[in-house]
Short mmCIF file of all heavy atoms in Angstrom, two decimals:
data_model
loop_
_atom_site.label_atom_id
_atom_site.label_comp_id
_atom_site.label_asym_id
_atom_site.label_seq_id
_atom_site.Cartn_x
_atom_site.Cartn_y
_atom_site.Cartn_z
N GLY A 18 0.84 -1.19 0.02
CA GLY A 18 0.02 0.02 0.06
C GLY A 18 0.84 1.31 -0.04
O GLY A 18 0.25 2.34 -0.10
N LYS A 19 2.15 1.14 0.26
CA LYS A 19 3.05 2.38 0.23
C LYS A 19 3.51 2.56 -1.14
O LYS A 19 3.67 1.76 -2.07
CB LYS A 19 4.18 1.96 1.12
CG LYS A 19 4.02 1.96 2.54
CD LYS A 19 5.29 1.75 3.31
CE LYS A 19 5.05 1.77 4.84
NZ LYS A 19 6.30 1.63 5.59
N ALA A 20 3.66 4.00 -1.41
CA ALA A 20 4.24 4.40 -2.69
C ALA A 20 5.75 4.32 -2.58
O ALA A 20 6.30 4.76 -1.71
CB ALA A 20 3.72 5.76 -2.97
N LEU A 21 6.33 3.64 -3.54
CA LEU A 21 7.86 3.43 -3.54
C LEU A 21 8.44 3.89 -4.84
O LEU A 21 7.90 4.06 -5.83
CB LEU A 21 8.10 1.93 -3.42
CG LEU A 21 7.50 1.14 -2.22
CD1 LEU A 21 7.68 -0.29 -2.34
CD2 LEU A 21 8.06 1.66 -0.86
N THR A 22 9.77 4.23 -4.63
CA THR A 22 10.48 4.80 -5.78
C THR A 22 10.94 3.61 -6.63
O THR A 22 11.03 2.48 -6.19
CB THR A 22 11.72 5.57 -5.32
OG1 THR A 22 12.70 4.78 -4.56
CG2 THR A 22 11.35 6.82 -4.40
N ALA A 23 11.46 3.93 -7.88
CA ALA A 23 12.06 2.93 -8.71
C ALA A 23 13.25 2.28 -8.00
O ALA A 23 13.47 1.10 -8.30
CB ALA A 23 12.38 3.58 -10.06
N ARG A 24 14.06 3.13 -7.37
CA ARG A 24 15.20 2.55 -6.72
C ARG A 24 14.86 1.50 -5.68
O ARG A 24 15.41 0.50 -5.45
CB ARG A 24 16.09 3.59 -6.12
CG ARG A 24 17.40 3.18 -5.53
CD ARG A 24 18.38 4.40 -5.19
NE ARG A 24 18.63 5.09 -6.40
CZ ARG A 24 19.64 4.84 -7.13
NH1 ARG A 24 20.41 3.79 -6.94
NH2 ARG A 24 19.97 5.58 -8.26
N GLU A 25 13.79 1.85 -4.84
CA GLU A 25 13.41 0.96 -3.86
C GLU A 25 12.80 -0.35 -4.44
O GLU A 25 13.08 -1.43 -3.88
CB GLU A 25 12.24 1.71 -3.00
CG GLU A 25 12.85 2.78 -2.00
CD GLU A 25 11.74 3.59 -1.37
OE1 GLU A 25 10.74 3.77 -2.02
OE2 GLU A 25 11.98 4.06 -0.20
N LEU A 26 12.09 -0.16 -5.49
CA LEU A 26 11.50 -1.32 -6.09
C LEU A 26 12.50 -2.19 -6.88
O LEU A 26 12.42 -3.39 -6.98
CB LEU A 26 10.38 -0.89 -7.08
CG LEU A 26 9.13 -0.33 -6.44
CD1 LEU A 26 8.26 0.41 -7.37
CD2 LEU A 26 8.36 -1.49 -5.75
N ALA A 27 13.58 -1.57 -7.37
CA ALA A 27 14.77 -2.28 -7.87
C ALA A 27 15.33 -3.20 -6.86
O ALA A 27 15.68 -4.41 -7.15
CB ALA A 27 15.79 -1.30 -8.52
N CYS A 28 15.50 -2.84 -5.69
CA CYS A 28 15.91 -3.56 -4.60
C CYS A 28 15.03 -4.86 -4.32
O CYS A 28 15.47 -5.91 -4.06
CB CYS A 28 16.20 -2.81 -3.34
SG CYS A 28 17.46 -1.58 -3.42
N GLU A 29 13.78 -4.46 -4.29
CA GLU A 29 12.71 -5.62 -4.19
C GLU A 29 12.81 -6.66 -5.21
O GLU A 29 12.54 -7.81 -4.92
CB GLU A 29 11.25 -5.01 -4.03
CG GLU A 29 11.00 -4.11 -2.87
CD GLU A 29 10.94 -4.93 -1.57
OE1 GLU A 29 10.66 -6.14 -1.59
OE2 GLU A 29 10.96 -4.23 -0.51
N ALA A 30 12.97 -6.14 -6.46
CA ALA A 30 13.05 -7.13 -7.53
C ALA A 30 14.44 -7.60 -7.96
O ALA A 30 14.57 -8.49 -8.77
CB ALA A 30 12.46 -6.37 -8.85
N ALA A 31 15.43 -7.18 -7.09
CA ALA A 31 16.81 -7.60 -7.34
C ALA A 31 17.25 -7.33 -8.73
O ALA A 31 17.87 -8.20 -9.51
CB ALA A 31 16.93 -9.12 -7.01
N VAL A 32 17.03 -6.11 -9.26
CA VAL A 32 17.40 -5.73 -10.58
C VAL A 32 18.08 -4.36 -10.53
O VAL A 32 17.94 -3.69 -9.46
CB VAL A 32 16.24 -5.69 -11.65
CG1 VAL A 32 15.65 -7.09 -11.78
CG2 VAL A 32 15.14 -4.80 -11.12
N THR A 33 18.62 -3.87 -11.60
CA THR A 33 19.22 -2.51 -11.54
C THR A 33 18.06 -1.51 -11.64
O THR A 33 16.95 -1.84 -12.04
CB THR A 33 20.07 -2.32 -12.81
OG1 THR A 33 19.29 -2.33 -14.03
CG2 THR A 33 21.20 -3.35 -12.83
N ALA A 34 18.39 -0.19 -11.22
CA ALA A 34 17.42 0.84 -11.24
C ALA A 34 16.91 1.06 -12.64
O ALA A 34 15.74 1.30 -12.88
CB ALA A 34 18.04 2.08 -10.63
N GLN A 35 17.78 0.96 -13.66
CA GLN A 35 17.41 1.15 -15.03
C GLN A 35 16.39 0.03 -15.55
O GLN A 35 15.43 0.32 -16.15
CB GLN A 35 18.61 1.09 -15.91
CG GLN A 35 18.33 1.46 -17.38
CD GLN A 35 19.71 1.47 -18.24
OE1 GLN A 35 20.73 1.13 -17.76
NE2 GLN A 35 19.53 1.89 -19.50
N THR A 36 16.57 -1.17 -15.06
CA THR A 36 15.80 -2.28 -15.45
C THR A 36 14.46 -2.11 -14.77
O THR A 36 13.36 -2.40 -15.36
CB THR A 36 16.39 -3.67 -15.05
OG1 THR A 36 17.66 -3.78 -15.79
CG2 THR A 36 15.47 -4.77 -15.41
N ALA A 37 14.47 -1.81 -13.53
CA ALA A 37 13.22 -1.54 -12.72
C ALA A 37 12.36 -0.38 -13.49
O ALA A 37 11.20 -0.54 -13.55
CB ALA A 37 13.53 -1.14 -11.36
N SER A 38 13.01 0.66 -13.90
CA SER A 38 12.32 1.72 -14.57
C SER A 38 11.65 1.30 -15.83
O SER A 38 10.53 1.66 -16.24
CB SER A 38 13.30 2.89 -14.92
OG SER A 38 13.70 3.52 -13.73
N ALA A 39 12.29 0.35 -16.63
CA ALA A 39 11.80 -0.24 -17.79
C ALA A 39 10.49 -1.11 -17.47
O ALA A 39 9.53 -0.99 -18.09
CB ALA A 39 12.78 -1.08 -18.57
N HIS A 40 10.57 -1.95 -16.40
CA HIS A 40 9.48 -2.68 -15.96
C HIS A 40 8.29 -1.80 -15.54
O HIS A 40 7.16 -2.17 -15.78
CB HIS A 40 9.93 -3.63 -14.84
CG HIS A 40 10.73 -4.87 -15.26
ND1 HIS A 40 10.33 -5.59 -16.18
CD2 HIS A 40 11.98 -5.29 -14.82
CE1 HIS A 40 11.34 -6.58 -16.41
NE2 HIS A 40 12.22 -6.43 -15.50
N LEU A 41 8.62 -0.77 -14.79
CA LEU A 41 7.62 0.10 -14.33
C LEU A 41 6.83 0.82 -15.34
O LEU A 41 5.65 1.02 -15.42
CB LEU A 41 8.18 1.14 -13.29
CG LEU A 41 8.52 0.49 -11.98
CD1 LEU A 41 9.44 1.42 -11.15
CD2 LEU A 41 7.26 0.29 -11.09
N SER A 42 7.59 1.20 -16.47
CA SER A 42 6.95 1.83 -17.66
C SER A 42 5.86 0.87 -18.21
O SER A 42 4.79 1.29 -18.56
CB SER A 42 8.03 2.11 -18.75
OG SER A 42 8.92 3.18 -18.26
N LYS A 43 6.22 -0.44 -18.33
CA LYS A 43 5.33 -1.36 -18.92
C LYS A 43 4.11 -1.59 -17.94
O LYS A 43 2.90 -1.64 -18.42
CB LYS A 43 5.99 -2.73 -19.07
CG LYS A 43 7.06 -2.63 -20.16
CD LYS A 43 7.74 -4.08 -20.40
CE LYS A 43 8.70 -4.04 -21.44
NZ LYS A 43 9.32 -5.30 -21.67
N LEU A 44 4.28 -1.55 -16.57
CA LEU A 44 3.18 -1.63 -15.69
C LEU A 44 2.32 -0.49 -15.65
O LEU A 44 1.10 -0.61 -15.49
CB LEU A 44 3.84 -1.96 -14.26
CG LEU A 44 4.54 -3.31 -14.09
CD1 LEU A 44 5.18 -3.35 -12.77
CD2 LEU A 44 3.50 -4.45 -14.26
N VAL A 45 2.89 0.69 -15.78
CA VAL A 45 2.10 2.01 -15.97
C VAL A 45 1.26 1.84 -17.14
O VAL A 45 0.07 2.17 -17.17
CB VAL A 45 2.93 3.17 -15.87
CG1 VAL A 45 2.16 4.39 -16.20
CG2 VAL A 45 3.60 3.32 -14.47
N GLU A 46 1.84 1.56 -18.27
CA GLU A 46 1.23 1.44 -19.59
C GLU A 46 0.10 0.40 -19.47
O GLU A 46 -1.01 0.57 -20.08
CB GLU A 46 2.23 1.06 -20.73
CG GLU A 46 1.59 1.08 -22.08
CD GLU A 46 2.54 0.68 -23.10
OE1 GLU A 46 3.76 0.56 -22.81
OE2 GLU A 46 2.22 0.61 -24.35
N GLY A 47 0.30 -0.64 -18.84
CA GLY A 47 -0.65 -1.72 -18.66
C GLY A 47 -1.76 -1.43 -17.56
O GLY A 47 -2.65 -2.17 -17.34
N LYS A 48 -1.63 -0.19 -17.01
CA LYS A 48 -2.65 0.21 -15.94
C LYS A 48 -2.69 -0.63 -14.77
O LYS A 48 -3.77 -0.75 -14.12
CB LYS A 48 -4.02 0.41 -16.63
CG LYS A 48 -4.06 1.40 -17.77
CD LYS A 48 -5.46 1.62 -18.30
CE LYS A 48 -5.41 2.61 -19.42
NZ LYS A 48 -6.75 2.90 -20.14
N LEU A 49 -1.55 -1.30 -14.43
CA LEU A 49 -1.51 -1.98 -13.16
C LEU A 49 -0.88 -1.18 -12.08
O LEU A 49 -1.12 -1.33 -10.98
CB LEU A 49 -0.69 -3.27 -13.31
CG LEU A 49 -1.26 -4.41 -14.29
CD1 LEU A 49 -0.21 -5.49 -14.37
CD2 LEU A 49 -2.54 -4.82 -13.79
N VAL A 50 -0.09 -0.06 -12.54
CA VAL A 50 0.56 0.75 -11.43
C VAL A 50 0.40 2.20 -11.98
O VAL A 50 0.28 2.48 -13.11
CB VAL A 50 2.14 0.37 -11.51
CG1 VAL A 50 2.89 1.49 -10.82
CG2 VAL A 50 2.29 -0.99 -10.82
N SER A 51 0.39 3.03 -11.07
CA SER A 51 0.33 4.53 -11.26
C SER A 51 1.51 5.16 -10.55
O SER A 51 2.18 4.58 -9.66
CB SER A 51 -1.01 5.10 -10.90
OG SER A 51 -1.22 5.02 -9.49
N PHE A 52 1.72 6.43 -10.77
CA PHE A 52 2.79 7.13 -10.06
C PHE A 52 2.47 8.64 -9.86
O PHE A 52 1.70 9.25 -10.55
CB PHE A 52 4.07 7.12 -10.79
CG PHE A 52 4.13 7.81 -12.10
CD1 PHE A 52 4.53 9.10 -12.17
CD2 PHE A 52 3.79 7.23 -13.36
CE1 PHE A 52 4.60 9.86 -13.37
CE2 PHE A 52 3.88 7.91 -14.47
CZ PHE A 52 4.29 9.19 -14.52
N ASN A 53 3.04 9.13 -8.83
CA ASN A 53 2.98 10.61 -8.61
C ASN A 53 4.51 11.15 -8.59
O ASN A 53 5.45 10.53 -8.05
CB ASN A 53 2.41 10.87 -7.19
CG ASN A 53 0.89 10.68 -7.26
OD1 ASN A 53 0.18 11.04 -8.16
ND2 ASN A 53 0.36 9.93 -6.25
N ALA A 54 4.66 12.29 -9.25
CA ALA A 54 5.99 12.95 -9.20
C ALA A 54 6.16 13.83 -8.13
O ALA A 54 5.25 14.61 -7.76
CB ALA A 54 6.20 13.51 -10.53
N SER A 55 7.33 13.79 -7.46
CA SER A 55 7.64 14.74 -6.33
C SER A 55 9.07 15.13 -6.53
O SER A 55 10.02 14.28 -6.17
CB SER A 55 7.42 14.16 -4.94
OG SER A 55 7.63 15.03 -3.96
#
């Protein structure tokens, strides 16, 4: 339920930050994930 950064999610997924960002782009496009910029 917490909003997490790409870097934090990269640690969870055991991938690089760049790879996590690519995965997150697909999840956002697929409407499974949303984000807020700060």
Side-chain angles (χ1 to χ4, degrees):
K19 290 185 176 180
L21 301 173
T22 65
R24 186 172 295 277
E25 289 170 325
L26 290 168
C28 292
E29 293 286 344
V32 296
T33 66
Q35 184 177 5
T36 299
S38 293
H40 284 308
L41 285 164
S42 294
K43 291 180 180 179
L44 292 171
V45 169
E46 184 180 353
K48 299 182 180 178
L49 295 180
V50 167
S51 62
F52 68 87
N53 288 314
S55 179

